[in-house]
Amino acid sequence: MIITPRDTKDADAIADALRQDGLSVACRHRDEQGKGATQSYLAATDDGLGLWCRLSSITYLGGSLSDGNIIDPFTPALLGSAVLSGPQIKSHTSHFSRLMEAGAVKQVSTIDGLGHAVESLLSTDLAATQAHAAWDVTSRGADASSDLVNVIYSYLDQAEH
């Protein structure tokens, strides 16, 4: 499990809580390396989420079971991670709607439901199906965008001459 806290100042408290729950923890901000027995990796740095979403086959959007302060679901979806969310999705509603219509987000309403959802997505075929649906939604229009950029570049080249 990779955890990226909203506020890096919370990293030590999160690591302590995980250890009190009996989990083996390594912390990036302390330059600790995960070992075979490491169960949780705390990535409390300003590196950005891209690397962590790409490495994770499943991404839970923290905050979606509480205050709704979450990242754009397209971030993990674009990087091939299956997306789990709670019901609090006030922000990024357009992206959530598109992903949910395609079956690319698994939504839960409780912490217990989150555990069951993670367990079900550990089946690689389910996670892959969901991640593929997310990729399909997030990549629609890419060809049109590429064509538009080419037209703009061509116009700019002509304007320079």
Side-chain angles (χ1 to χ4, degrees):
M1 169 173 59
I2 301 170
I3 299 173
T4 56
R6 282 185 213 169
D7 190 339
T8 56
K9 295 177 210 154
D10 297 333
D12 290 327
I14 293 170
D16 290 344
L18 292 168
R19 286 184 181 109
Q20 286 176 2
D21 283 342
L23 296 174
S24 166
V25 179
C27 299
R28 182 172 175 86
H29 67 284
R30 293 183 187 154
D31 292 326
E32 298 172 353
Q33 300 297 315
K35 298 178 176 83
T38 301
Q39 296 166 309
S40 299
Y41 187 69
L42 196 60
T45 63
D46 294 325
D47 293 345
L49 293 174
L51 171 65
W52 310 116
C53 289
R54 186 171 298 282
L55 289 174
S56 302
S57 58
I58 303 168
T59 298
Y60 164 66
L61 302 177
S64 61
L65 280 173
S66 57
D67 63 9
N69 184 12
I70 56 173
I71 64 166
D72 186 334
F74 269 26
T75 300
L78 280 165
L79 297 169
S81 186
V83 179
L84 286 174
S85 167
Q88 302 301 322
I89 54 170
K90 297 172 193 150
S91 57
H92 315 293
T93 53
S94 170
H95 284 175
F96 265 108
S97 295
R98 291 172 55 195
L99 290 169
M100 289 170 78
E101 284 176 24
V105 172
K106 187 168 187 81
Q107 199 167 33
V108 299
S109 57
T110 64
I111 290 178
D112 287 340
L114 177 61
H116 294 297
V118 168
E119 187 177 358
S120 73
L121 287 173
L122 290 176
S123 168
T124 55
D125 59 330
L126 291 175
T129 299
Q130 186 176 327
H132 179 72
W135 175 84
D136 184 49
V137 168
T138 57
S139 64
R140 283 185 201 147
D143 291 338
S145 296
S146 178
D147 290 344
L148 178 61
V149 168
N150 288 334
V151 168
I152 291 170
Y153 280 143
S154 175
Y155 176 77
L156 291 173
D157 285 342
Q158 290 174 3
E160 287 179 358
H161 300 293

